[in-house]
Amino acid sequence: MARARTMGLATPSDISVRGFDDIEIAWVIDPELATMHVPHREMGRVAARCLIARSLIRTALHP
């Protein structure tokens, strides 16, 4: 594996690159790119539940 060197830092020994959304091409990129899966639907559900709960609490406190 080739090591990229910029400003005296080497990847992946000194620094690493991270990404979001679990892109498919990440496994072929050099230097290696670690990605994280983001569960958009679940995040939306949780956000909606929080907003509804907040609205219900606000309504109960200030009828």
Side-chain angles (χ1 to χ4, degrees):
M1 169 167 54
R3 292 178 54 154
R5 192 165 271 293
T6 305
M7 298 186 317
L9 298 173
T11 56
S13 60
D14 297 327
I15 60 173
S16 60
V17 181
R18 302 283 185 237
F20 288 93
D21 288 340
D22 205 14
I23 59 174
E24 293 181 25
I25 198 168
W27 66 275
V28 297
I29 296 174
D30 187 31
E32 188 176 314
L33 175 63
T35 65
M36 182 170 84
H37 174 72
V38 179
H40 292 112
R41 285 184 192 259
E42 183 61 23
M43 289 172 61
R45 282 189 204 103
V46 171
R49 287 183 190 134
C50 289
L51 288 171
I52 292 168
R54 184 175 182 171
S55 176
L56 293 173
I57 291 169
R58 183 171 280 165
T59 302
L61 293 176
H62 304 287

Coordinates of all heavy atoms in Angstrom, one line a residue:
M1 N 0.8 -1.2 0.0 CA 0.0 0.0 0.0 C 0.9 1.2 0.0 O 1.8 1.4 0.8 CB -0.9 0.0 1.2 CG -1.6 1.3 1.4 SD -3.0 1.4 2.6 CE -2.4 0.8 4.1
A2 N 0.6 2.2 -0.9 CA 1.3 3.4 -0.9 C 0.9 4.3 0.2 O -0.2 4.3 0.7 CB 1.1 4.1 -2.3
R3 N 1.9 5.1 0.7 CA 1.6 6.1 1.7 C 1.7 7.5 1.2 O 2.6 7.9 0.6 CB 2.7 5.9 2.8 CG 2.5 4.6 3.6 CD 3.6 4.5 4.6 NE 3.6 5.6 5.5 CZ 4.0 5.6 6.7 NH1 4.5 4.5 7.2 NH2 3.9 6.7 7.5
A4 N 0.6 8.2 1.4 CA 0.5 9.6 1.0 C 1.2 10.5 2.1 O 1.1 10.2 3.2 CB -0.9 10.1 0.8
R5 N 2.0 11.4 1.6 CA 2.8 12.3 2.6 C 2.5 13.7 2.2 O 2.8 14.2 1.1 CB 4.2 12.0 2.5 CG 5.0 12.6 3.7 CD 6.4 12.0 3.8 NE 6.5 10.8 4.7 CZ 6.3 10.8 6.0 NH1 5.9 11.9 6.6 NH2 6.5 9.7 6.7
T6 N 1.9 14.5 3.1 CA 1.6 15.9 3.0 C 2.0 16.7 4.2 O 1.6 16.2 5.3 CB 0.1 16.1 2.6 OG1 -0.2 15.3 1.5 CG2 -0.2 17.6 2.3
M7 N 2.7 17.8 4.1 CA 3.0 18.6 5.3 C 3.7 17.8 6.4 O 3.5 18.0 7.6 CB 1.8 19.3 5.8 CG 1.2 20.3 4.8 SD -0.1 21.3 5.4 CE -1.1 20.2 6.4
G8 N 4.5 16.8 6.0 CA 5.2 16.0 7.0 C 4.3 14.9 7.7 O 4.8 14.2 8.6
L9 N 3.1 14.8 7.3 CA 2.2 13.8 7.9 C 1.9 12.7 6.9 O 1.8 12.9 5.7 CB 0.9 14.4 8.3 CG 0.9 15.5 9.3 CD1 -0.4 16.2 9.5 CD2 1.4 15.0 10.6
A10 N 1.9 11.4 7.4 CA 1.6 10.3 6.5 C 0.3 9.7 6.8 O -0.1 9.6 8.0 CB 2.7 9.3 6.7
T11 N -0.4 9.3 5.8 CA -1.7 8.5 6.0 C -1.4 7.0 5.7 O -0.6 6.7 4.9 CB -2.8 9.0 5.0 OG1 -2.3 8.8 3.7 CG2 -3.2 10.4 5.3
P12 N -1.9 6.1 6.4 CA -2.8 6.3 7.6 C -2.1 6.3 8.9 O -2.8 6.3 9.9 CB -3.7 5.0 7.4 CG -2.7 4.0 6.9 CD -1.8 4.8 6.0
S13 N -0.8 6.3 9.0 CA -0.1 6.2 10.3 C -0.3 7.4 11.1 O -0.4 7.3 12.3 CB 1.4 5.8 10.1 OG 2.0 6.8 9.3
D14 N -0.2 8.6 10.6 CA -0.3 9.9 11.3 C -1.7 10.4 11.4 O -2.2 10.9 12.4 CB 0.6 11.0 10.8 CG 2.1 10.6 10.9 OD1 2.4 9.9 11.8 OD2 2.8 11.0 10.0
I15 N -2.4 10.4 10.2 CA -3.8 10.9 10.1 C -4.6 9.9 9.3 O -4.0 9.1 8.5 CB -3.8 12.3 9.5 CG1 -3.3 12.3 8.1 CG2 -3.2 13.3 10.4 CD1 -3.4 13.6 7.3
S16 N -5.9 10.0 9.4 CA -6.7 9.2 8.6 C -7.9 10.0 8.1 O -8.2 11.0 8.6 CB -7.3 7.9 9.3 OG -8.0 8.3 10.5
V17 N -8.5 9.5 7.0 CA -9.6 10.3 6.4 C -10.9 9.5 6.7 O -11.0 8.3 6.6 CB -9.4 10.3 4.9 CG1 -10.5 11.1 4.2 CG2 -8.1 10.9 4.5
R18 N -11.9 10.3 7.1 CA -13.2 9.7 7.4 C -14.3 10.2 6.5 O -14.2 11.4 6.1 CB -13.6 9.9 8.9 CG -12.6 9.4 9.9 CD -12.7 7.9 10.1 NE -11.8 7.5 11.1 CZ -10.9 6.5 10.9 NH1 -10.7 6.0 9.7 NH2 -10.2 6.2 11.9
G19 N -15.3 9.5 6.3 CA -16.4 9.9 5.5 C -17.8 9.5 6.0 O -17.8 8.6 6.9
F20 N -18.8 10.0 5.5 CA -20.2 9.6 5.9 C -20.9 9.1 4.7 O -20.6 9.3 3.6 CB -20.9 10.8 6.5 CG -20.4 11.2 7.9 CD1 -19.4 12.2 8.0 CD2 -20.9 10.6 9.0 CE1 -19.0 12.6 9.2 CE2 -20.4 11.0 10.2 CZ -19.4 11.9 10.4
D21 N -22.0 8.5 5.0 CA -23.0 7.9 4.0 C -22.5 6.6 3.3 O -23.0 6.2 2.3 CB -23.3 8.9 2.9 CG -24.3 10.0 3.5 OD1 -24.9 9.7 4.5 OD2 -24.4 11.1 2.9
D22 N -21.5 6.0 3.9 CA -21.1 4.7 3.4 C -20.9 4.5 1.9 O -21.5 3.6 1.3 CB -22.1 3.7 4.0 CG -21.6 2.3 4.1 OD1 -20.4 2.1 4.1 OD2 -22.4 1.3 4.3
I23 N -20.1 5.4 1.3 CA -20.0 5.4 -0.1 C -19.3 4.1 -0.6 O -18.4 3.6 0.0 CB -19.2 6.7 -0.6 CG1 -17.8 6.7 0.0 CG2 -20.0 7.9 -0.4 CD1 -17.0 7.8 -0.6
E24 N -19.8 3.6 -1.7 CA -19.4 2.3 -2.2 C -17.9 2.3 -2.7 O -17.2 1.3 -2.6 CB -20.3 1.8 -3.3 CG -21.7 1.5 -2.8 CD -22.6 1.0 -3.9 OE1 -22.1 0.4 -4.8 OE2 -23.8 1.1 -3.7
I25 N -17.4 3.4 -3.2 CA -16.1 3.5 -3.8 C -15.0 3.6 -2.7 O -13.8 3.4 -3.0 CB -16.0 4.6 -4.8 CG1 -14.8 4.4 -5.7 CG2 -15.9 6.0 -4.0 CD1 -14.7 5.3 -6.9
A26 N -15.4 3.7 -1.4 CA -14.4 3.9 -0.3 C -13.3 2.8 -0.3 O -12.2 3.1 0.1 CB -15.1 4.1 1.0
W27 N -13.7 1.6 -0.6 CA -12.8 0.5 -0.4 C -11.7 0.5 -1.5 O -10.6 -0.2 -1.3 CB -13.5 -0.8 -0.4 CG -14.2 -1.2 -1.7 CD1 -15.4 -0.7 -2.2 CD2 -13.7 -2.0 -2.8 NE1 -15.7 -1.2 -3.4 CE2 -14.6 -2.0 -3.8 CE3 -12.5 -2.7 -3.0 CZ2 -14.4 -2.7 -5.0 CZ3 -12.3 -3.3 -4.2 CH2 -13.3 -3.3 -5.2
V28 N -11.8 1.3 -2.6 CA -10.7 1.3 -3.6 C -9.9 2.5 -3.5 O -8.9 2.6 -4.3 CB -11.3 1.1 -5.0 CG1 -12.0 -0.2 -5.1 CG2 -12.3 2.2 -5.3
I29 N -10.2 3.5 -2.7 CA -9.5 4.7 -2.6 C -8.2 4.6 -1.8 O -8.1 3.8 -0.9 CB -10.3 5.8 -1.9 CG1 -11.6 6.1 -2.8 CG2 -9.5 7.1 -1.7 CD1 -12.5 7.1 -2.2
D30 N -7.1 5.2 -2.3 CA -5.8 5.2 -1.6 C -5.4 6.6 -1.3 O -5.3 7.4 -2.3 CB -4.8 4.5 -2.4 CG -3.5 4.3 -1.7 OD1 -3.5 4.1 -0.4 OD2 -2.4 4.3 -2.3
P31 N -5.2 7.1 -0.1 CA -5.3 6.3 1.1 C -6.7 5.8 1.5 O -7.7 6.4 1.0 CB -4.7 7.3 2.2 CG -5.1 8.6 1.7 CD -5.0 8.5 0.2
E32 N -6.7 4.8 2.3 CA -8.0 4.2 2.7 C -8.9 5.2 3.3 O -8.6 6.1 4.1 CB -7.7 3.1 3.7 CG -8.9 2.3 4.0 CD -8.4 1.1 5.0 OE1 -7.4 0.5 4.7 OE2 -9.1 0.9 6.0
L33 N -10.2 5.1 2.9 CA -11.2 6.0 3.4 C -12.2 5.2 4.3 O -12.8 4.2 3.8 CB -12.0 6.7 2.3 CG -13.2 7.5 2.6 CD1 -12.8 8.7 3.5 CD2 -13.9 8.0 1.4
A34 N -12.3 5.5 5.5 CA -13.3 4.8 6.4 C -14.6 5.6 6.3 O -14.6 6.8 6.4 CB -12.7 4.8 7.8
T35 N -15.7 4.9 6.1 CA -17.0 5.6 6.1 C -17.9 5.0 7.1 O -17.7 3.9 7.6 CB -17.6 5.4 4.7 OG1 -17.9 4.1 4.5 CG2 -16.7 5.9 3.6
M36 N -18.9 5.8 7.4 CA -19.9 5.4 8.4 C -21.3 5.5 7.8 O -21.6 6.4 7.1 CB -19.8 6.5 9.6 CG -20.7 6.2 10.7 SD -20.3 7.2 12.1 CE -21.2 8.7 11.7
H37 N -22.1 4.5 8.1 CA -23.4 4.4 7.6 C -24.3 5.4 8.4 O -24.2 5.3 9.7 CB -24.0 3.0 7.6 CG -25.4 2.9 7.3 ND1 -25.9 3.1 6.0 CD2 -26.5 2.7 8.1 CE1 -27.2 3.0 6.0 NE2 -27.6 2.8 7.3
V38 N -25.1 6.2 7.8 CA -26.0 7.1 8.5 C -27.4 6.7 8.3 O -27.9 6.7 7.1 CB -25.8 8.6 8.0 CG1 -26.7 9.5 8.7 CG2 -24.3 9.0 8.2
P39 N -28.1 6.2 9.3 CA -29.5 5.7 9.2 C -30.5 6.9 9.0 O -31.1 7.3 10.0 CB -29.7 4.9 10.4 CG -28.8 5.6 11.4 CD -27.6 6.1 10.7
H40 N -30.6 7.4 7.8 CA -31.5 8.6 7.7 C -32.9 8.4 8.1 O -33.5 9.3 8.7 CB -31.4 9.1 6.2 CG -30.1 9.6 5.8 ND1 -29.3 8.9 4.9 CD2 -29.4 10.7 6.2 CE1 -28.1 9.6 4.7 NE2 -28.2 10.6 5.5
R41 N -33.5 7.3 7.7 CA -34.9 7.1 8.1 C -35.1 7.0 9.6 O -36.0 7.6 10.1 CB -35.4 5.8 7.5 CG -35.7 5.9 6.0 CD -36.3 4.6 5.5 NE -36.3 4.5 4.1 CZ -37.4 4.7 3.4 NH1 -38.5 5.0 3.9 NH2 -37.3 4.7 2.1
E42 N -34.2 6.3 10.3 CA -34.3 6.2 11.7 C -34.1 7.6 12.4 O -34.8 8.0 13.3 CB -33.4 5.2 12.3 CG -33.5 5.0 13.8 CD -34.8 4.5 14.3 OE1 -35.6 3.9 13.5 OE2 -35.2 4.7 15.4
M43 N -33.2 8.4 11.9 CA -32.9 9.7 12.4 C -34.2 10.6 12.2 O -34.5 11.4 13.1 CB -31.7 10.3 11.7 CG -30.4 9.7 12.1 SD -29.0 10.3 11.1 CE -29.0 12.0 11.5
G44 N -34.8 10.4 11.1 CA -36.1 11.2 10.8 C -37.2 10.8 11.7 O -37.9 11.7 12.3
R45 N -37.3 9.5 12.0 CA -38.3 9.0 12.9 C -38.1 9.6 14.3 O -39.0 10.0 15.0 CB -38.4 7.5 13.0 CG -39.0 6.8 11.8 CD -39.2 5.3 12.1 NE -39.3 4.6 10.8 CZ -38.3 3.9 10.3 NH1 -37.2 3.8 10.8 NH2 -38.6 3.4 9.1
V46 N -36.9 9.5 14.8 CA -36.6 10.0 16.1 C -36.8 11.5 16.2 O -37.4 12.0 17.2 CB -35.1 9.7 16.5 CG1 -34.7 10.4 17.8 CG2 -34.9 8.2 16.7
A47 N -36.4 12.3 15.2 CA -36.6 13.7 15.2 C -38.1 14.0 15.2 O -38.6 14.9 16.0 CB -36.0 14.3 13.9
A48 N -38.9 13.3 14.4 CA -40.4 13.5 14.4 C -41.0 13.2 15.8 O -41.8 14.0 16.3 CB -41.0 12.6 13.3
R49 N -40.6 12.1 16.4 CA -41.1 11.8 17.8 C -40.7 12.9 18.8 O -41.5 13.2 19.6 CB -40.5 10.4 18.2 CG -41.1 9.3 17.5 CD -40.6 8.0 18.1 NE -41.0 6.9 17.2 CZ -40.2 5.9 16.8 NH1 -39.0 5.9 17.2 NH2 -40.7 4.9 16.0
C50 N -39.5 13.4 18.7 CA -39.1 14.4 19.6 C -39.9 15.7 19.4 O -40.3 16.3 20.4 CB -37.6 14.8 19.4 SG -36.5 13.5 20.0
L51 N -40.2 16.1 18.2 CA -41.0 17.3 17.9 C -42.4 17.1 18.4 O -43.0 18.0 18.9 CB -40.9 17.6 16.4 CG -39.6 18.1 15.8 CD1 -39.7 18.2 14.3 CD2 -39.4 19.5 16.4
I52 N -43.0 15.9 18.1 CA -44.3 15.7 18.6 C -44.4 15.7 20.1 O -45.3 16.3 20.7 CB -44.9 14.3 18.0 CG1 -45.0 14.5 16.5 CG2 -46.2 13.9 18.7 CD1 -45.3 13.1 15.8
A53 N -43.5 15.1 20.8 CA -43.4 15.1 22.2 C -43.3 16.5 22.8 O -44.0 16.9 23.7 CB -42.3 14.2 22.7
R54 N -42.4 17.2 22.2 CA -42.2 18.6 22.6 C -43.5 19.4 22.4 O -43.8 20.2 23.3 CB -41.0 19.2 21.8 CG -40.7 20.6 22.3 CD -39.5 21.1 21.6 NE -39.1 22.4 22.0 CZ -38.0 23.0 21.8 NH1 -37.1 22.5 21.0 NH2 -37.8 24.2 22.2
S55 N -44.1 19.2 21.3 CA -45.4 20.0 21.1 C -46.5 19.6 22.1 O -47.2 20.4 22.6 CB -45.9 19.6 19.6 OG -47.1 20.2 19.4
L56 N -46.6 18.3 22.4 CA -47.5 17.8 23.4 C -47.3 18.4 24.8 O -48.2 18.8 25.5 CB -47.6 16.3 23.4 CG -48.2 15.6 22.1 CD1 -48.0 14.1 22.3 CD2 -49.6 16.0 21.9
I57 N -46.0 18.4 25.1 CA -45.6 19.0 26.5 C -45.9 20.5 26.5 O -46.5 20.9 27.5 CB -44.1 18.7 26.8 CG1 -43.9 17.2 27.0 CG2 -43.6 19.5 27.9 CD1 -42.5 16.8 27.0
R58 N -45.6 21.2 25.5 CA -45.8 22.6 25.4 C -47.3 22.9 25.5 O -47.7 23.8 26.2 CB -45.2 23.2 24.1 CG -45.4 24.7 24.1 CD -44.6 25.3 22.9 NE -43.2 25.4 23.3 CZ -42.2 25.6 22.5 NH1 -42.4 25.7 21.2 NH2 -41.0 25.7 23.0
T59 N -48.1 22.1 24.8 CA -49.6 22.3 24.8 C -50.1 22.0 26.2 O -51.0 22.7 26.7 CB -50.2 21.3 23.8 OG1 -49.7 21.6 22.5 CG2 -51.8 21.5 23.8
A60 N -49.6 21.0 26.9 CA -50.1 20.6 28.2 C -49.7 21.7 29.2 O -50.5 22.0 30.2 CB -49.5 19.3 28.7
L61 N -48.5 22.3 29.1 CA -48.1 23.4 30.0 C -48.8 24.7 29.7 O -48.9 25.5 30.6 CB -46.6 23.5 29.9 CG -45.8 22.3 30.4 CD1 -44.3 22.6 30.2 CD2 -46.0 22.1 31.9
H62 N -49.1 25.0 28.5 CA -49.7 26.3 28.1 C -50.9 26.0 27.3 O -50.9 26.2 26.1 CB -48.7 27.1 27.3 CG -47.4 27.3 28.0 ND1 -47.3 28.2 29.1 CD2 -46.2 26.8 27.8 CE1 -46.0 28.1 29.5 NE2 -45.3 27.3 28.8
P63 N -52.0 25.6 27.9 CA -53.3 25.3 27.1 C -53.9 26.5 26.5 O -53.7 27.6 26.8 CB -54.2 24.7 28.2 CG -53.6 24.9 29.5 CD -52.2 25.4 29.3

